[in-house]
């Protein structure tokens, strides 16, 4: 049964029990509606308490239903029925009341909560807006300014904030139900609050809308739901609740069927599946308290910051005193920057730095449960590190390389206990970027794998398992993507036109702007090394630029020119002259054709990666692109795009 009922002295207790998160599906809606009707007719029932089983109230509508047509009874009707019930419903909330869960609670006459309660309408994250009256009831309960933050800007209210704003009528201690029953008995002797939808709301100053619109647009990254949520809020204030509800429903239904919402749902489920790969479910991770990081450069410091942020102790190994103090300074300035942004306090900065030990040489690594190597990307250098780690670390310590290209099996050659070794490919800046490619070798033990997935969870990363090949998943697709972008240049398509098309699609930067920012020289050196090994790597446009000294922003020019101190790319006649021998006659290509060609290339490489077993699923490839390479979230990823393109062709 997804909804349970108990009766306590004339009070019905309705518990939504639909594990794991009490999501509202058709069966729950049906049952709630039937119960509201039945209780109204039952003279023995005086009031109803609505609660959720387990640690949370209700996480919202069941998202798995959203790929199918809507099925009655509809949640807005259920909420309205509860709101108009003759017997008052009171929501008793612990933990999360999200989306449709909060909307159900808003339909109740009163809400009581424990200190663990939190309230949000995260629908915009799924490319939709609240669809069961949340846009109309919430502003009438907490006021328009706060409602804008919750409905359109994904702000979560904690229990204290909810009490202050009048969303929660009273706080109760655990155990929740006895407290709720006692509260309801007292409340029934007094006048009940007005239903949420009937509460008066005065029109706010016009600036509130214009300011909110600017704020939301600047954060939306092209997503349409947040601004539409604002429009619906505004409609309900200016034209009244009935018009607002009608507008809300129409907008919800149209967004629910949109490609953007499908893309965001795809990522929602992919992100959750990525945390728990089927083959290591049930394998216990090893305990991890102390982590070692070898190398305190940009990557090593970023990894150390991520570990310290997650509460681990860190031993950072550097070669000399200058390196060690530079690493400590880098970490101190990273944490101080977080403090300036108001994310952590001064005490937290000190506490994090207190968990950091910077050492010259390998002293201290014997205490580490895991050690991550982040030194120069050269096989001999990395092998030397692991030979030292093999000597100094405990035999059960997990050893990981942060290589982006080198075959981890070569790095591990000769390492004692190779089953504790694997690749952990972080992305720069490692304390910010969510992606973590996990690259086991054939020897890696299952509990080692389970442990690094657990570390990823603690670090707030999205872990994606990758097989061994040149560039793993992400850099392999990146190389194909760049090669195809350069092929477009050879076909005579303008550099700026290609970048503009990709920005229009939703990337923060086009491929050439991105290369200029990151520097063209690393990929060039990579190609040169392959040429030296005798591999047939043709001359690329990027090679001509690097040979002419144009390595990107750091040299004042690459694909574009840059004025001193200015990062804005300016079209470069000089670059065009250098590239002329490789460029075809200038041609105009529509933005969508450029995008389609680059998408097809990424997806093609993705399919090869899947066929070779380098990625476990198409969704994993999408996660790599979205969390490591700036692929626009609202587009779902290259494999999602391929699925859509195929579906449209049928
Ligand atoms: C909505 O409400 C629309 C309405 O306005 C209008 C309707 C008309 N549905 O995240 P976890 C699954 S839209 C179905 O790992 P945690 C999830 O896939 C909804 N399934 O746990 C996973 O499955 P599996 C608005 C859901 O403890 C399992 O539950 N609400 C839903 O880290 C555990 O999830 C939201 O957007 C769902 N709504 O975090 C809230 N939610 O085990 C979305 C979760 O097979 N949910 N699952 O991998 C969350 O934010 C988090 O899941 C939550 C728990 C904070 C609740």
């Amino acid at each position: 049964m997804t909804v349970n009922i108990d009766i306590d002295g004339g009070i019905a207790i309705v518990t939504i029990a639909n594990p794991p998160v009490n999501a509202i599906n058709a069966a729950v809606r049906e049952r709630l509606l039937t119960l509201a009707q039945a209780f109204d007719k039952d003279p023995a029932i005086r009031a109803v308490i609505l609660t959720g089983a387990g640690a949370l109230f209700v996480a919202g509508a069941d998202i798995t239903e959203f790929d199918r047509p809507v099925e009655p009874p509809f949640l807005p009707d259920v909420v309205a029925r509860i709101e108009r019930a003759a017997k008052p419903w009171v929501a008793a909330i612990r933990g999360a009341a999200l989306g449709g869960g909060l909307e159900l609670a808003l339909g109740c006459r009163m809400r009581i909560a424990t200190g663990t309660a939190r309230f949000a309408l995260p629908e915009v994250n799924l490319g939709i807006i609240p669809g069961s009256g949340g846009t109309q009831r919430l502003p009438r309960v907490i006021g328009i300014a706060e409602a804008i933050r919750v409905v359109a800007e994904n702000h979560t209210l904690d229990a204290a904030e909810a009490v202050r704003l009048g969303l929660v009528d009273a706080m109760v201690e655990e155990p929740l139900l006895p407290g709720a029953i006692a509260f309801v008995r007292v409340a029934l002797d007094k006048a009940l609050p007005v239903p949420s939808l009937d509460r008066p709301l005065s029109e706010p100053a016009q600036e509130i809308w214009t300011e909110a619109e600017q704020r939301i647009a600047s954060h939306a990254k092209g997503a349409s739901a947040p601004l539409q949520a604002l429009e619906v809020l505004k409609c309900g204030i200016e034209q009244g609740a009935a018009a607002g509800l009608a507008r809300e429903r129409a907008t919800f239904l149209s967004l629910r069927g949109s490609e953007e919402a499908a893309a965001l749902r795809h990522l929602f489920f992919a992100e959750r599946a990525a945390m728990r790969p089927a083959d290591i479910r049930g394998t216990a991770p090893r305990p991890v308290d102390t982590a070692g990081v070898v190398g305190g450069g940009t990557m090593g410091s970023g990894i150390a910051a991520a570990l310290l942020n997650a509460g681990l102790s860190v031993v950072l190994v550097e070669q000399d005193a200058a390196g060690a103090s530079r690493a400590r300074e880098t970490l101190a300035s990273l944490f101080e920057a977080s403090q300036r942004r108001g994310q952590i306090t001064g005490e937290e900065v000190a506490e994090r730095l207190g968990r950091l030990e910077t050492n010259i040489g390998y002293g201290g690594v014997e205490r580490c449960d895991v050690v991550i190597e982040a030194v120069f990307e050269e096989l001999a250098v990395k092998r030397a590190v692991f030979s030292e780690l093999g000597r100094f670390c405990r035999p059960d310590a997990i050893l990981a390389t942060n290589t982006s290209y080198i075959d981890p099996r070569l790095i591990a050659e000769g390492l004692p206990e190779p089953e504790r070794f694997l690749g952990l490919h972080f992305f720069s800046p490692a304390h910010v970027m969510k992606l973590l490619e996990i690259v086991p070798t054939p020897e890696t033990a299952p509990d080692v794998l389970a442990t690094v997935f657990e570390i990823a969870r603690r670090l707030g990363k999205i872990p994606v398992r990758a097989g061994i090949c040149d560039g793993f998943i992400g850099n392999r697709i990146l190389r194909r993507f760049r090669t195809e972008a350069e092929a477009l240049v050879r076909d005579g398509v303008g550099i700026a036109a290609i970048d503009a098309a990709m920005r229009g699609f939703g990337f923060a930067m086009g491929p050439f702007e991105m290369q200029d920012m990151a520097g063209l020289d690393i990929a060039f050196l990579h190609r040169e090394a392959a040429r030296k090994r005798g591999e047939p790597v043709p001359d690329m446009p990027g090679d001509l630029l690097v040979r002419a000294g144009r390595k990107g922003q750091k040299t004042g020019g690459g694909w574009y020119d840059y004025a001193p101190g200015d990062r804005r790319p300016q079209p470069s006649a000089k670059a065009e002259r250098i590239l002329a021998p490789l460029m075809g006659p200038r041609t105009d290509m529509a933005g969508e054709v450029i995008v389609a060609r680059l998408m097809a290339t990424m997806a093609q490489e993705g399919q090869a990666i899947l066929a070779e077993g380098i990625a476990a699923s198409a969704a994993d490839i999408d996660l790599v692109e979205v969390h490591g390479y700036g692929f626009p979230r609202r587009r779902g990823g290259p494999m999602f795009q391929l699925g859509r393109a195929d579906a449209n062709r049928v």
Side-chain angles (χ1 to χ4, degrees):
M1 187 57 82
T2 48
V3 179
N4 300 324
I5 297 143
D6 283 305
I7 309 286
D8 185 314
I11 297 175
I13 298 146
V14 174
T15 306
I16 299 180
N18 187 19
V21 294
N22 299 332
I24 311 164
N25 58 16
V28 172
R29 295 196 299 273
E30 180 75 57
R31 185 97 171 109
L32 292 177
L33 197 60
T34 313
L35 287 172
Q37 284 154 355
F39 292 145
D40 274 2
K41 288 191 201 128
D42 186 343
I45 301 295
R46 296 179 64 215
V48 184
I49 292 174
L50 177 64
T51 193
L56 84 174
F57 181 68
V58 168
D62 183 343
I63 304 168
T64 59
E65 287 186 342
F66 286 8
D67 286 322
R68 303 194 294 269
V70 283
E71 198 183 326
F74 305 125
L75 192 56
D77 299 335
V78 176
V79 174
R81 182 67 186 77
I82 287 174
E83 187 168 51
R84 301 296 157 200
K87 311 294 169 65
W89 286 55
V90 176
I93 299 161
R94 73 160 71 82
L98 308 178
L102 173 52
E103 292 176 299
L104 263 182
L106 282 163
C108 293
R109 278 299 184 96
M110 283 180 277
R111 288 153 293 280
I112 55 175
T114 70
T116 62
R118 58 198 170 86
F119 305 85
L121 293 170
E123 280 86 344
V124 290
N125 290 343
L126 294 166
I128 55 175
I129 65 162
S132 313
T135 64
Q136 305 305 310
R137 289 188 180 86
L138 192 67
R140 288 169 168 81
V141 173
I142 68 171
I144 187 64
E146 293 294 340
I148 289 174
R149 294 175 70 213
V150 177
V151 174
E153 299 178 88
N154 196 28
H155 176 68
T156 298
L157 302 171
D158 63 19
E161 223 176 343
V163 171
R164 182 175 60 78
L165 295 171
L167 176 60
V168 164
D169 298 276
M171 295 282 286
V172 282
E173 300 283 326
E174 289 284 2
L176 174 61
L177 281 180
I181 292 167
F183 172 85
V184 170
R185 289 202 197 293
V186 175
L188 283 175
D189 292 334
K190 302 187 209 154
L192 290 171
V194 174
S196 307
L197 205 59
D198 300 341
R199 298 192 189 177
L201 187 59
S202 51
E203 265 195 41
Q206 196 57 31
E207 297 82 75
I208 217 169
W209 301 117
T210 42
E211 281 168 23
E213 196 176 323
Q214 278 164 12
R215 219 172 44 234
I216 293 166
S218 73
H219 288 109
K221 295 189 177 154
S224 60
L227 280 173
Q228 295 207 41
L230 185 71
E231 279 304 308
V232 171
L233 278 166
K234 194 174 176 196
C235 166
I237 309 298
E238 291 178 352
Q239 297 172 38
L245 284 177
R247 177 81 174 268
E248 178 194 89
R249 188 67 182 161
T251 307
F252 168 79
L253 289 175
S254 115
L255 288 174
R256 183 184 187 273
S258 70
E259 180 161 332
E260 194 168 310
L264 293 168
R265 279 200 298 280
H266 161 72
L267 292 173
F268 177 88
F269 289 115
E271 282 158 359
R272 275 147 185 91
M275 306 304 282
R276 292 186 282 270
D279 60 339
I280 51 166
R281 261 181 222 177
T283 306
R286 300 180 184 180
V288 172
D289 293 315
T290 304
V293 177
V294 183
T298 309
M299 193 44 110
S301 298
I303 295 171
L307 293 161
L308 291 165
N309 286 341
L312 282 88
S313 297
V314 171
V315 175
L316 192 144
V317 172
E318 256 295 346
Q319 279 177 322
D320 49 31
S325 66
R326 217 174 19 247
R328 183 170 282 277
E329 278 161 27
T330 308
L331 280 155
S333 60
L334 283 180
F335 295 142
E336 281 154 13
S338 303
Q339 185 191 353
R340 275 196 300 280
R341 286 194 295 271
Q343 291 158 337
I344 54 174
T345 63
E347 289 83 64
E348 283 167 320
V349 172
E351 193 274 331
R352 280 172 208 200
L353 289 172
R355 279 187 276 111
L356 171 70
E357 180 179 313
T358 42
N359 287 342
I360 304 154
Y362 289 85
V365 293
E366 72 285 352
R367 282 185 282 112
C368 293
D369 306 303
V370 57
V371 181
I372 302 165
E373 161 278 309
V375 302
F376 192 62
E377 187 76 351
E378 208 175 279
L379 180 59
V381 180
K382 289 191 186 283
R383 269 194 182 151
V385 167
F386 282 97
S387 131
E388 295 299 296
L389 291 176
R391 282 175 51 209
F392 288 106
C393 290
R394 291 196 321 260
D396 65 330
I398 294 172
L399 303 182
T401 171
N402 179 51
T403 183
S404 16
Y405 283 101
I406 304 172
D407 185 335
R409 289 167 301 195
L410 300 177
I411 298 175
E413 263 174 22
L415 183 73
E417 289 87 30
E419 68 281 356
R420 42 102 167 241
F421 175 87
L422 80 175
L424 283 185
H425 185 205
F426 288 82
F427 290 73
S428 192
H431 59 298
V432 176
M433 296 295 284
K434 288 254 179 205
L435 178 62
L436 179 62
E437 278 183 327
I438 294 180
V439 193
T441 71
E443 270 88 16
T444 307
D447 69 327
V448 169
L449 206 51
T451 309
V452 295
F453 271 90
E454 174 59 16
I455 294 174
R457 191 195 59 75
R458 286 171 70 183
L459 264 54
K461 303 286 179 206
I462 302 285
V464 175
R465 184 164 164 176
I468 298 172
C469 67
D470 196 14
F472 311 128
I473 300 173
N475 281 343
R476 179 166 155 179
I477 295 179
L478 179 66
R479 187 175 302 160
R480 266 295 294 280
F481 173 70
R482 283 188 175 161
T483 306
E484 189 63 14
E486 294 192 11
L488 282 168
V489 174
R490 286 167 189 264
D491 289 351
V493 184
I495 294 162
I498 299 168
D499 279 341
M502 296 316 279
R503 264 187 276 107
F505 182 73
F507 280 89
M509 266 182 232
F512 301 109
E513 295 158 340
M514 176 62 100
Q515 283 185 56
D516 272 359
M517 194 184 76
L520 277 66
D521 41 339
I522 294 178
F524 169 76
L525 291 175
H526 213 73
R527 287 194 293 270
E528 287 287 90
R531 287 175 188 126
K532 262 198 198 134
R533 291 195 300 269
E535 291 171 30
V537 181
D539 248 7
M540 304 288 286
D543 298 334
L544 301 192
L545 292 171
V546 175
R547 287 189 194 117
R550 297 179 67 91
K551 297 180 187 169
Q553 283 185 18
K554 60 186 170 190
T555 58
W559 296 94
Y560 296 93
D561 288 337
Y562 298 86
D566 189 349
R567 286 158 173 262
R568 282 172 305 178
Q570 308 297 337
S572 168
K574 201 164 167 202
E576 295 226 351
R577 269 200 305 281
I578 295 167
L579 295 172
L582 287 182
M583 276 175 79
R586 198 55 179 266
T587 171
D588 281 338
M589 191 180 268
E592 54 271 32
V593 180
I594 296 174
V595 169
R597 196 159 138 185
L598 291 174
M599 280 304 120
T601 302
M602 292 174 96
Q604 235 173 40
E605 194 64 30
Q607 281 176 313
I609 282 171
L610 271 180
E612 291 167 32
I614 299 295
S617 68
D620 272 359
I621 297 176
D622 287 341
L623 289 179
V624 165
E625 291 304 313
V626 167
H627 290 291
Y629 295 84
F631 197 100
R633 196 174 168 81
R634 67 191 162 91
R635 303 286 191 178
M639 307 311 282
F640 175 83
Q641 287 288 320
L642 176 70
R644 286 274 143 167
D646 286 349
N648 290 339
R649 266 196 292 275
V650 173

